[in-house]
């Protein structure tokens, strides 16, 4: 049953399963296409919208994040079953399904990281679309990081529970174990924990019970090792995404600073142009004033000369 569900989820992720309902972002993409069609009046096709592919990828990433979260929920459930089952055959089956699910979840997380990085690397178009791209990319990145953090918390929680189970099993074999011995067995650093457990087995009088405890401790150590490997991978993805955030923020800040500079230079240029226009108008006005003054002076001189000549006659 668990394998069938996992196969169905894989088929859905590959596009062969049931399709998810239209999301708000898909609706936004369709509305954007409608606006372009209405604005042009020529009935543009969706492929002519440069943002259509972007919205499609955003929705695809959000769908994949939801699948990732569903995987994490099932991983938590399988961890719980593994801890609570006493049937060896069922435990082995749970381990097999869990290993397959963890591997599939790892592939999904790497796929999401690559797709979000590809979005970040795409050149931003001019105008309002650049801000839309930035906001939507930031949205899917935040959701992905939140899903990763949730996965980390699940793995850390069950690592602690597995260690508690190892501690209980060791105390069954050696009830008078010291805290240092318990810590050595739980952490099993450099194989010292296994040696202590083997020594406790030899001195125990409850052979059947202690052998079962030893077998479970070995299984739990393997579970803990796998969890720590997964946590290391998640930490690496976190580092990659945080580095991407810093680099992208620096790039965006540089672009915004450059845009602000250009805007400031443009405004300054417009100011200088307006001043030049005003100066030119003032100069023309002054030239006309001077011309009329010159004509007035000539008229006055002509009148004076005429009067003077008339008087002499």
């Amino acid at each position: 049953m668990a394998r069938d569900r996992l196969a169905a989820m894989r088929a859905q992720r590959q596009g062969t399963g049931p399709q998810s309902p239209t999301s708000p972002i898909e609706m936004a993409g369709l509305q954007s296409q409608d606006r372009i069609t209405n604005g042009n009046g020529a009935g543009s096709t969706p492929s002519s919208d440069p943002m259509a592919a972007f919205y499609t990828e955003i929705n695809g990433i959000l769908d994949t994040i939801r699948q990732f979260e569903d995987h994490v929920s099932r991983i938590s459930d399988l961890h719980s079953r593994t801890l609570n089952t006493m049937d060896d055959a069922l435990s082995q089956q749970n381990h097999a399904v869990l290993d397959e699910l963890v591997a599939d979840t790892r592939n999904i997380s790497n796929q999401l990281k690559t797709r979000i990085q590809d979005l970040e690397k795409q050149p931003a178009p001019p105008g309002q679309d650049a801000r839309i791209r930035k906001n939507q990319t930031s949205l899917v990145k935040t959701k992905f990081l939140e899903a990763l953090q949730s996965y980390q918390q699940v793995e850390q929680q069950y690592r602690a529970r597995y260690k508690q189970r190892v501690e209980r099993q060791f105390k069954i074999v050696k009830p008078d174990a010291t805290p240092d011995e318990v810590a050595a067995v739980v952490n099993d650093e450099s194989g010292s924990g296994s040696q202590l457990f083997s020594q406790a087995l030899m001195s125990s009088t409850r052979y059947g019970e202690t052998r079962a405890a030893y077998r479970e401790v070995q299984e739990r150590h393997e579970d803990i090792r796998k969890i720590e490997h997964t946590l290391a991978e998640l930490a690496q993805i976190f580092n990659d995404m945080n580095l991407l955030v810093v680099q992208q923020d620096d790039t965006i800040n540089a672009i915004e600073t450059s845009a602000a500079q250009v805007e400031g230079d443009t405004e300054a240029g417009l100011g200088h142009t307006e001043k030049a226009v005003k100066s030119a108008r003032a100069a023309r006005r002054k030239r006309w004033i001077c011309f009329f003054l010159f004509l007035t002076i000539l008229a006055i001189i002509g009148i004076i000369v005429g009067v003077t000549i008339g008087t002499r006659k």
Side-chain angles (χ1 to χ4, degrees):
M1 178 66 69
R3 289 180 181 272
D4 292 341
R5 290 180 59 193
L6 181 58
M9 292 168 64
R10 281 183 170 175
Q12 182 177 356
R13 193 175 76 253
Q14 294 170 357
T16 59
Q19 299 297 319
S20 59
T22 303
S23 68
I25 295 181
E26 288 177 323
M27 292 300 298
L30 293 174
Q31 291 170 1
S32 175
Q33 294 168 12
D34 290 342
R35 286 196 297 271
I36 290 176
T37 301
N38 295 334
N40 295 336
S44 303
T45 60
S47 60
S48 65
D49 181 5
M51 293 293 288
F54 175 77
Y55 281 120
T56 300
E57 178 63 3
I58 287 290
N59 283 299
I61 290 175
L62 290 174
D63 287 341
T64 308
I65 290 174
R66 284 190 286 270
Q67 288 183 344
F68 180 86
E69 291 171 337
D70 184 65
H71 275 53
V72 171
S73 177
R74 294 197 57 231
I75 286 171
S76 176
D77 180 60
L78 285 168
H79 276 311
S80 179
R81 292 183 188 180
T82 300
L83 279 169
N84 295 327
T85 184
M86 302 300 294
D87 188 331
D88 289 342
L90 184 57
S91 177
Q92 290 179 0
Q93 182 181 355
N94 286 338
H95 275 101
V97 176
L98 180 60
D99 289 344
E100 187 176 358
L101 188 61
V102 167
D104 199 29
T105 307
R106 180 187 303 116
N107 292 335
I108 293 175
S109 63
N110 288 326
Q111 178 193 119
L112 283 168
K113 182 186 76 171
T114 301
R115 291 171 71 179
I116 293 173
Q117 286 176 333
D118 289 343
L119 278 183
E120 295 279 10
K121 294 174 184 176
Q122 290 179 6
Q128 186 180 3
D129 287 349
R131 180 60 56 183
I132 294 174
R133 280 179 175 268
K134 177 183 176 183
N135 291 339
Q136 295 299 327
T137 303
S138 177
L139 169 68
V140 295
K141 185 191 307 177
T142 300
K143 286 185 173 295
F144 178 46
L145 291 175
E146 288 174 351
L148 286 175
Q149 188 175 26
S150 176
Y151 191 13
Q152 278 185 322
Q153 291 171 350
V154 166
E155 294 290 66
Q156 289 168 350
Q157 172 190 354
Y158 280 99
R159 179 179 60 179
R161 292 182 63 180
Y162 282 131
K163 287 186 174 183
Q164 292 171 358
R165 188 64 169 264
V166 170
E167 179 179 347
R168 287 197 298 270
Q169 296 301 317
F170 180 56
K171 286 184 176 180
I172 290 174
V173 177
K174 190 176 182 181
D176 58 345
T178 66
D180 290 340
E181 289 175 332
V182 171
V185 170
V186 169
N187 298 317
D188 196 25
E189 297 175 355
S190 303
S192 58
S194 297
Q195 293 177 1
L196 284 171
F197 208 105
S198 298
Q199 293 171 2
L201 280 173
M202 290 187 292
S203 60
S204 176
T205 58
R206 296 176 296 180
Y207 182 79
E209 188 175 357
T210 55
R211 292 299 299 178
Y214 182 57
R215 185 169 58 252
E216 182 173 356
V217 165
Q218 288 180 315
E219 291 178 358
R220 298 300 166 246
H221 277 152
E222 181 64 18
D223 292 332
I224 292 170
R225 185 191 63 78
K226 291 177 181 177
I227 286 176
E228 289 177 344
H229 179 69
T230 299
L231 288 172
E233 291 177 337
L234 292 175
Q236 183 60 50
I237 295 176
F238 258 114
N239 290 335
D240 293 343
M241 296 303 296
N242 287 333
L243 179 62
L244 178 65
V245 170
V246 172
Q247 290 175 341
Q248 189 64 22
D249 284 346
D250 290 342
T251 303
I252 291 172
N253 290 336
I255 293 173
E256 290 179 347
T257 301
S258 176
Q261 254 181 342
V262 170
E263 185 178 357
D265 292 342
T266 303
E267 291 178 355
L270 290 174
H272 291 315
T273 302
E274 290 177 357
K275 289 180 181 179
V277 171
K278 290 180 180 178
S279 298
R281 288 175 179 172
R284 286 196 299 270
R285 190 180 302 111
K286 289 177 181 179
R287 285 197 297 270
W288 280 109
I289 291 173
C290 290
F291 177 72
F292 285 121
L293 285 175
F294 178 72
L295 290 178
T296 302
I297 291 171
L298 287 178
I300 292 172
I301 292 174
I303 292 171
I304 293 173
V305 171
V307 171
T308 302
I309 294 173
T311 302
R312 288 180 181 179
K313 291 181 179 180

